[in-house]
Amino acid sequence: MPEPTTEKPLPPGMVLGPDGKPCKVCTSFRHWKPALATREQARSKTVATGAATTVAASPTSAFLQNKRANCPPDSEELGRATWTFLHTTAAYYPERPTPTQRANMLTLLRSLPLLYPCSHCAEDFGEDIKVNPPNVSGRAELSRWLCERHNEVNQKLGKETFNCAKTDERWKDGPADGSCD
Ligand SMILES: Cc1cc2nc3c(=O)[nH]c(=O)nc-3n(C[C@H](O)[C@H](O)[C@H](O)COP(=O)(O)OP(=O)(O)OC[C@H]3O[C@@H](n4cnc5c(N)ncnc54)[C@H](O)[C@@H]3O)c2cc1C
């Protein structure tokens, strides 16, 4: 007779990390939150006696957004924060960096495949930068290189590519209409 298992079933869509355990930061929350939505809707229906319209049927309901407010990041939240950091750092990198500044930037970029906690993201990024080594020769060059790396990920995920002529507008100056001033 097999021992009864006490392990909780994995939420649908949850990705396992290299240690074989559920890895939140390797998974997109969108892919496992419907389980939460279903639970919340079922709960609200039993309590609200037919007035369940207070809870939106969409998985983007206020419940889910609030629920996520102070949770550990998923792969999307971490990705947005990391790209923000990297593109902004590139946007403020010197036009003519010193050898030390170049070395520091190289160390930062080469550390990502080793340290980035979304393991499959880190692995693919590591492969990409082997083929396309970082260009840390100046601000414009680094911004373009990074934009192209981000576009590789966008394409892999089926997203639109970004126009790399607009990195300064997006990450440094804001649009000409002054809407970010
Ligand atoms: C190194 C790295 C590797 C990743 N690998 C994966 C992966 O393998 N699988 C996975 O599911 N997720 C991966 N991610 C996360 C993924 O790239 C996104 O961050 C995440 O899906 C959230 O996407 P988003 O649509 O909100 O915007 P993001 O892609 O995070 O972009 C944020 C903002 O950057 C701007 N932007 C978009 N493209 C560019 C560009 N090319 N240049 C400059 N600015 C741009 C846009 O204004 C956008 O709103 C990775 C993240 C990083 C940092």
Side-chain angles (χ1 to χ4, degrees):
M1 212 39 183
E3 287 288 312
T5 173
T6 51
E7 279 180 27
K8 278 198 295 183
L10 284 180
M14 175 65 81
V15 174
L16 299 181
D19 58 1
K21 294 185 179 159
C23 175
K24 284 189 166 66
V25 83
C26 309
T27 309
S28 165
F29 180 58
R30 283 182 297 121
H31 296 148
W32 86 87
K33 76 182 177 183
L36 273 176
T38 311
R39 247 188 352 250
E40 177 61 10
Q41 279 162 23
R43 191 189 64 76
S44 81
K45 274 188 186 136
T46 37
V47 204
T49 56
T53 44
T54 46
V55 174
S58 152
T60 53
S61 66
F63 161 74
L64 288 167
Q65 280 162 13
N66 293 338
K67 176 94 187 142
R68 286 302 300 162
N70 290 307
C71 294
D74 68 349
S75 60
E76 297 197 5
E77 190 182 343
L78 178 72
R80 276 190 289 276
T82 306
W83 288 125
T84 297
F85 166 66
L86 291 174
H87 289 299
T88 309
T89 304
Y92 288 87
Y93 186 69
E95 300 288 351
R96 290 185 196 80
T98 63
T100 305
Q101 286 167 324
R102 290 178 192 217
N104 287 338
M105 181 54 76
L106 275 179
T107 301
L108 170 67
L109 297 169
R110 288 177 181 156
S111 299
L112 281 172
L114 306 173
L115 297 174
Y116 195 69
C118 167
S119 48
H120 64 91
C121 307
E123 202 175 311
D124 287 358
F125 189 70
E127 290 305 315
D128 185 25
I129 70 172
K130 264 189 221 158
V131 182
N132 300 288
N135 185 342
V136 296
S137 57
R139 200 181 76 75
E141 293 82 358
L142 177 62
S143 295
R144 173 160 286 274
W145 176 85
L146 200 56
C147 178
E148 289 167 356
R149 305 288 60 78
H150 193 165
N151 274 340
E152 291 283 340
V153 181
N154 288 341
Q155 278 178 305
K156 183 176 79 172
L157 299 180
K159 297 184 187 180
E160 271 185 34
T161 53
F162 185 88
N163 177 354
C164 292
K166 297 204 165 187
T167 49
D168 273 3
E169 177 181 318
R170 173 66 179 89
W171 297 106
K172 192 162 189 272
D173 302 328
D177 66 8
S179 55
C180 294
D181 296 341

